């Protein structure tokens, strides 16, 4: 059976398990873990079907910008000769993937929301042009390099006992051109990362600037908080939480839009969510055309009632 190389950057989190689950559809998952902790990662990745884990632990991976990671993944490709290479669609994942594709002379597909096996290699689904088109693509040249958005698949356990090998690779001098001088972690909110969360609760202009009910509902559900551009432009929530065409694209299991009208630019960032719930006091709001469940009402009444019901469970 052909092998599929899954690139895991750092500690194993849900997106990595999603990638291994997707890789199982295409062949045998082999993971390359970038950074320390590869041995620990192997047990978690094995639970989801990784047959082999290559550990790539070198200080250069944390010391320099993305290029050493390309060196490591290129060495893994050389060693495994996979039928495809899959990355998570983080900003860094996409940059490493693009550089890898150039390095190995392959085609690249980014931001896939689904990947399925096909006669001519993996068939990906992408939502493009602000979500107006759904595109199915295959890579026509070389080993397909694909980045996959978080929540494209639910992680499904399939226990295997992976072999663990240290990957031999050399960091090229040309990869040491740009050094990381300082890195500041984001202030921890205790909430999941917006693009990786299984549930997102977003607030819009309808909050009137009070995100309390949105945050309380998010916390009761273990969800991330998002915001419309109107809320961000009003200074009510930071831009890093904006969902939409000029913000983040999310694809959670459940997206709750509170006080958001559903403009096309907002929909572009959330319409691939698996289930959409809208709370809006205007029964004619366009968001209801997209919602699986619509609640007509004032979010300041509806959200606290839902939060109380969740907490009572
Ligand atoms: P509004 O459209 O004003 O809607 C507010 C809604 O709240 C209304 O439907 C109202 O009925 C409801 N409401 C009011 N009070 C309550 C209440 N108490 N309880 C319940 N409901 C209530 N927008 C984005 O979101 N993301 C983007 O990335 C983005 N990119 C853009 C890029 C470009 C180039 C352009 C031109 C626009 C972009 N926009 C984006 C803006 C977009 O067009 C809309 O203006 C924006 O999404 C509107 O935000 P909103 O739904 O919060 O506000």
């Amino acid at each position: 059976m052909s092998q599929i190389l899954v690139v895991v950057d750092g500690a194993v989190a849900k997106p990595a398990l999603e990638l291994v689950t997707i890789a199982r559809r295409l062949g045998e998952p082999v993971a390359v873990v970038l950074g320390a902790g590869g041995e620990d990662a192997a047990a978690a990745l094995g639970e989801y079907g990784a047959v082999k884990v290559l550990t790539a632990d070198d200080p250069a991976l944390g010391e320099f910008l993305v290029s050493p990671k390309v060196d490591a993944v290129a060495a893994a490709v050389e060693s495994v000769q996979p039928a495809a290479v899959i990355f998570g669609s983080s900003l860094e994942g996409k940059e490493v993937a693009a550089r890898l594709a150039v390095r190995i002379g392959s085609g690249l597909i980014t931001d896939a929301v689904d990947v399925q096996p096909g006669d001519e290699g993996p068939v990906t689904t992408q939502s493009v042009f602000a979500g107006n088109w759904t595109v199915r693509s295959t890579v026509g040249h070389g080993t397909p390099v694909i980045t996959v958005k978080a929540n494209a698949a639910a992680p499904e356990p399939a226990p295997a006992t992976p072999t663990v090998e240290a990957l031999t690779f050399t960091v090229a001098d040309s990869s040491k051109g740009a050094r990381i001088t300082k890195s500041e972690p984001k202030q921890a909110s205790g909430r999941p990362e917006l693009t990786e969360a299984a549930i997102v609760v977003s607030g819009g202009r309808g909050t009137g600037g009070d995100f309390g009910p949105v945050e309380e509902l998010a916390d009761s559900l273990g969800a991330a908080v998002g915001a419309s551009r109107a809320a961000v432009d009003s200074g009510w929530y930071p831009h890093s939480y904006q969902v939409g065409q000029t913000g983040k694209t999310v694809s959670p299991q459940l997206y709750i839009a509170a006080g958001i009208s559903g403009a096309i630019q907002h929909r572009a960032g959330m319409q691939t969510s698996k289930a959409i719930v809208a709370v809006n006091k205007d029964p004619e709001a366009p968001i209801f055309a997209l919602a699986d469940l619509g609640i007509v009402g004032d979010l300041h009444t509806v959200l606290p009632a839902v939060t109380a019901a969740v907490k009572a469970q």
Side-chain angles (χ1 to χ4, degrees), residues 203-207 227-231 242-247 258-266 279-282 285-286 297-300:
R205 202 193 308 269
T207 60
S228 73
R229 177 160 157 182
Q242 183 178 314
V243 173
Q245 187 180 329
T246 43
I260 292 176
S261 59
I264 180 75
Q265 296 90 352
H266 187 79
V279 183
N280 198 301
K281 66 180 187 185
D282 174 8
D298 186 331
L299 70 90
H300 295 101

Side-chain angles (χ1 to χ4, degrees), residues 28-262:
E28 272 184 339
V30 173
V32 56
V33 179
L34 307 177
E39 301 268 339
D40 297 337
L45 295 166
E47 276 302 301
Y48 288 80
V51 296
K52 187 175 186 178
V53 173
L54 299 169
T55 59
D57 186 9
D58 188 300
L61 297 177
E63 235 174 283
F64 298 97
L65 288 180
V66 292
S67 299
K69 294 184 178 174
V70 184
D71 294 331
V73 182
V77 170
E78 180 68 29
S79 153
V80 176
Q81 298 288 316
V85 187
I86 57 179
F87 290 76
S89 267
S90 63
L91 285 178
E92 196 173 80
K94 284 192 272 193
E95 183 165 355
V96 176
R99 287 167 181 260
L100 176 77
V102 172
R103 178 88 63 94
I104 65 174
S106 287
L108 168 76
I109 293 174
T110 55
D111 290 338
V113 292
D114 191 25
V115 186
Q116 294 292 340
D119 294 340
E120 290 163 27
V123 181
T124 66
T125 304
Q126 293 160 288
S127 178
V128 300
F129 295 139
N132 285 315
W133 290 83
T134 297
V135 177
R136 295 212 164 71
S137 330
T138 54
V139 169
H141 185 73
T143 305
V145 179
I146 299 167
T147 79
V148 183
K149 287 178 89 80
N151 294 307
E156 285 164 21
T161 311
T163 53
V164 183
E165 256 177 47
L167 177 71
T168 309
F169 69 103
T170 309
V171 177
D173 284 345
S174 58
S175 296
K176 297 178 180 170
R179 186 183 287 274
I180 297 170
T181 55
K182 188 177 173 196
S183 103
E184 289 180 40
K186 276 197 296 190
Q187 261 188 337
S189 66
R191 298 190 185 107
E193 158 63 29
L194 179 57
T195 55
E196 294 173 6
I199 305 176
V200 174
V201 186
S202 284
R205 202 193 308 269
T207 60
D210 176 10
F211 263 65
V214 172
E215 291 183 334
E216 280 159 27
L217 177 58
D219 290 341
S220 74
L221 294 166
V225 171
S228 73
R229 177 160 157 182
V232 169
D233 284 353
S234 303
W236 299 339
Y237 231 69
H239 178 257
S240 53
Y241 294 87
Q242 183 178 314
V243 173
Q245 187 180 329
T246 43
K248 302 246 165 82
T249 306
V250 300
S251 196
Q253 299 296 323
L254 173 62
Y255 186 87
I256 302 175
I260 292 176
S261 59

